[in-house]
Amino acid sequence: MGLFNRKSKLPPADRPPLAPDERVLAWAAAGNGEGDGVLVASNLGLWLPGRGHRLGWHDILKAVWSGRELTVTPAERVAERDGYLVVADCPAETYLLLDPGELPHQVRARVTRSVAYTGHHEVPGGAGRIAARRVAGVDGLTWTVRYDPGTPTGAEEVAAETDRLVAAARAATVPADV
């Protein structure tokens, strides 16, 4: 697959199976070392080569643009607790974009826009990041916790402190007029 002119339309063969209310915002041809592919940013998330599903903007923990490569770190759901999800980093995926167009800008803007709250907090034996994310088509915020490496995530005191921290963050983000 060769390079595409970024001002041209996405070729039909490269168009992912979009939902009825989904629209393409930007796209770029890429090579990730395993062959070429196309990355497609939509209003609902990011389609990556070799995946049959989109990553919602809220499912991307980190996206880094080097000027030539886009590295995306998706979240993996590890556990579901009362009112929040525990997530961990999936392996980072890096794509060389020779003609990136608006794709890196859209990825950054959409991932950033999905974050409503973030805070790093200490827990017994470690720390973790609590985040509230906006999810397309879902009312309210989705809360997640990503523990730092080495944190004893299975310890009861870690779960109890995390529950307390998430509850405090939720209370702090509730609009005053509700």
Side-chain angles (χ1 to χ4, degrees), residues 19 25 45 69 71 79 89 91 96 112 118 130 136 158 171 175:
L25 303 172
E69 293 180 328
T71 301
D89 295 11
L96 176 65
T112 300
T118 184
I130 297 172
V158 170

Side-chain angles (χ1 to χ4, degrees), residues 5 24 32 36 39 46 63 65 74 88-90 117 122 126 128 132 135 141 147-148 150-151 160 164:
N5 179 336
V24 173
N32 65 359
D36 293 333
L39 284 77
L46 183 63
W65 173 240
D89 295 11
C90 285
Y117 169 89
E122 290 187 16
V135 179
L141 299 173
Y147 291 109
D148 291 354
T151 301
R164 188 191 69 72

Side-chain angles (χ1 to χ4, degrees), residues 35-52:
D36 293 333
V38 175
L39 284 77
V40 177
S42 78
N43 56 314
L44 300 179
L46 183 63
W47 294 87
L48 297 172
R51 289 181 179 250

Side-chain angles (χ1 to χ4, degrees), residues 145-170:
V145 173
R146 180 184 160 273
Y147 291 109
D148 291 354
T151 301
T153 60
E156 285 184 34
E157 61 271 14
V158 170
E161 180 64 4
T162 303
D163 290 348
R164 188 191 69 72
L165 290 167
V166 171
R170 290 174 80 104

Side-chain angles (χ1 to χ4, degrees), residues 83-138:
Y84 64 96
L85 300 170
V86 177
V87 298
D89 295 11
C90 285
E93 300 177 31
T94 300
Y95 300 91
L96 176 65
L97 306 179
L98 298 177
D99 190 13
E102 287 293 309
L103 186 78
H105 168 74
Q106 285 293 334
V107 170
R108 179 182 177 141
R110 298 287 170 153
V111 170
T112 300
R113 191 177 306 154
S114 76
V115 179
Y117 169 89
T118 184
H120 193 260
H121 302 276
E122 290 187 16
V123 296
R129 177 156 307 278
I130 297 172
R133 307 285 294 263
R134 295 175 189 91
V135 179
V138 175

Side-chain angles (χ1 to χ4, degrees), residues 1 4 9-18 27 36-40 47 49-51:
M1 180 179 303
F4 299 109
K9 277 185 100 171
L10 179 62
D14 293 319
R15 190 173 185 85
L18 302 175
W27 63 277
D36 293 333
V38 175
L39 284 77
V40 177
W47 294 87
R51 289 181 179 250

